Every structure is written in C-alpha cells, then in structure tokens.
Amino acid sequence: EWSDSGVDGSYRFLKRVWSYGAQFGRDIRPRLDPAAAAGTPGAALPAELAAARRDIHANLRQANYDMQRLQFNTVASAAMKILNTLERAPGAPSRAHAEVASEGLSILLRLLSPITPHVCQVLWSELGYGEDILAAPWPEPLEEALAQEEIELVLQVAGKTRGKLRVPAGAGQAEIERLALASETAAKYMEGRPARKVVVVPGRLVNIVV
C-alpha cells in the first residue's frame, strides 16, 4: 500500500541539507581561504573535530561499499549520518571547524548527487565548490582521516563486562595487559585477587581472568 511517509521523510532530509548549505554559505565558508573551499583540513585537528572528521569518512567508506552492492537505502542512511555529524560538529567558529565542515559538505553533496542531482548541483555551484558537480571526482575515504590515536576496548573481569578501556591504537598485547591491570575499573572488580591471566582480543576486548 502506498504511503506518503517515505516522501515526507526524504523532503525533511533534503530541507535539512539545504538549510545546512545556507548556514555554511553564510557563517562557515567566510572563515576559509578562497582556495580551501573543497580542500582537506591542513593542521592537526582538536580531538573532537578529528573524531567528527573520522565519522564522516567512516560513513563515506560504508556508503561506497553499499553503493557497489546496489544497496541504495543504506547509502542514503550514511548520507543522513554525515549530515548529523556536520550539524553537531564542535569547534565553531574556529578555522578548523570550517575546514572540516567544508570537506564534509563537499563529500555529502557528491555522495547525494546521483540521487538528488538538482539540489546538489545548485549548492555545489553556489557555495563555490565548482561549476559542475558531475565533473568533480567521486569522494573516497582518506586513511589519514580514519586513523585513530586511541581505540576503545571492552574491559571484562572474570568474563563479565565491566567497562571500557582506551589504549593507544598501536599498543601491543603486553601494553594492553598492563593498562588493563592498572585501570581503576579492573582494581574495583578484581577485589584484591591476582590475575591468573589476561586475554586480549585485538581491536575488541580484554578479559582479566581471576
């Protein structure tokens, strides 16, 4: 049975894209160098902005993967997540915020251009990204944007999840074990008992067996 709800949802999303584009042109783009409109952020970013940029590129990576599999509904979902990140990106009115917003919006518009070409073309040209969005290269996720200085692991004690543990992204097993045993969470739930062993599942969790 036909329902207007899907159309209403698409309209609301495109209205948000248009509103963000208007805000970008009015408040954000003036903080950029003219040559930096579609560039990538230059200097090292504050942690929260780096996380926002990483989220944008992670969603772009997922969208490109889904597009190859012709799963266009999840491509649209990734575009919505990118817009959410742009709307909530911290750091305004800094230059760094403007650079992340500029890069993110250029990704969003190119990602949406095959789906909503007219809206994206108008915003692309009016905001100074270029004359023709179809002549722009397709966006690809950047490894430098996806890189993390730290990762978060699930921390378990005796097989029960007790919290999270942040460790350097390149930490080896011995370093992860040391950080886990030194954490306040582990000390609380170990209750003075010695660790019989520490099991590390790379990128996922660390379990202290007591």
Side-chain angles (χ1 to χ4, degrees):
E1 183 179 348
W2 171 258
S3 172
D4 291 338
S5 60
V7 176
D8 290 341
S10 298
Y11 171 75
R12 288 194 298 271
F13 171 64
L14 289 178
K15 189 174 180 180
R16 284 175 55 206
V17 172
W18 187 267
S19 295
Y20 184 82
Q23 178 194 355
F24 178 85
R26 182 184 66 248
D27 302 327
I28 300 175
R29 192 175 185 278
R31 298 196 297 273
L32 291 168
D33 286 337
T40 58
L45 297 172
E48 289 185 335
L49 271 177
R53 187 180 183 222
R54 184 164 54 248
D55 187 63
I56 290 168
H57 282 263
N59 280 299
L60 171 60
R61 179 175 59 186
Q62 185 63 48
N64 282 353
Y65 175 74
D66 290 338
M67 189 168 288
Q68 292 174 359
R69 300 167 65 199
L70 305 181
Q71 295 183 342
F72 299 120
N73 59 327
T74 48
V75 173
S77 174
M80 292 178 182
K81 291 177 181 177
I82 290 174
L83 179 60
N84 289 341
T85 298
L86 288 171
E87 290 176 333
R88 299 168 184 167
S94 69
R95 172 81 167 271
H97 171 270
E99 291 177 345
V100 170
S102 179
E103 181 192 42
L105 183 55
S106 78
I107 288 172
L108 177 63
L109 293 178
R110 284 177 286 168
L111 187 61
L112 286 174
S113 61
I115 305 171
T116 56
H118 301 91
V119 168
C120 293
Q121 171 58 37
V122 171
L123 288 173
W124 185 264
S125 58
E126 290 294 321
L127 296 176
Y129 286 114
E131 293 184 6
D132 186 358
I133 194 170
L134 296 180
W138 187 256
E140 296 290 346
L142 299 178
E143 290 303 321
E144 56 143 81
L146 292 167
Q148 301 184 63
E149 293 184 2
E150 290 186 328
I151 59 174
E152 191 171 71
L153 305 177
V154 173
L155 177 60
Q156 296 181 339
V157 178
K160 295 183 179 180
T161 299
R162 298 302 189 182
K164 303 286 187 179
L165 178 71
R166 296 196 65 82
V167 301
Q173 181 164 329
E175 176 69 2
I176 293 173
E177 291 180 9
R178 184 188 68 78
L179 292 170
L181 292 170
S183 69
E184 293 182 3
T185 301
K188 175 181 176 181
Y189 289 100
M190 289 172 69
E191 298 176 333
R193 294 170 292 176
R196 291 166 49 201
K197 65 177 178 178
V198 180
V199 178
V200 176
V201 180
R204 293 181 55 192
L205 64 86
V206 53
N207 179 34
I208 301 172
V209 181
V210 296

